[in-house]
Amino acid sequence: MGIVIDLTKAKAITHDARRAARAAEFAPLDVKATIPSEAAAAEAARAAVRVKYADMQTAVDAAADVAALKTIMEQLT
């Protein structure tokens, strides 16, 4: 018998990694959003980040196996 991976826990770990990556990507944009001359561009970039990670969240939730989660985790590095 090989190693058994709990898919629910693996999804939770992947979501945590996704949240951390999203926060890191948002950090500089949050600062730029407070600068009036850069606010509009920063908000457009923030919208793109939101879409990117929303799509990734959907993919994590729909993952049927660990291989799919590994593919998502590779996108985060």
Side-chain angles (χ1 to χ4, degrees):
M1 180 174 179
I3 297 173
V4 177
I5 298 175
D6 183 326
L7 188 60
T8 302
K9 287 182 182 179
K11 285 182 178 185
I13 291 167
T14 305
H15 277 306
D16 289 343
R18 177 189 55 80
R19 287 183 195 106
R22 182 180 187 263
E25 223 173 304
F26 261 119
L29 298 174
D30 289 342
V31 173
K32 287 183 178 185
T34 64
I35 302 168
S37 64
E38 297 183 29
E43 189 50 43
R46 286 163 47 104
V49 170
R50 280 195 223 50
V51 169
K52 171 184 172 182
Y53 287 99
D55 292 345
M56 194 175 292
Q57 179 175 347
T58 301
V60 171
D61 290 338
D65 56 25
V66 175
L69 294 176
K70 284 182 181 180
T71 300
I72 294 167
M73 289 292 284
E74 289 170 356
Q75 294 173 12
L76 296 173
T77 57

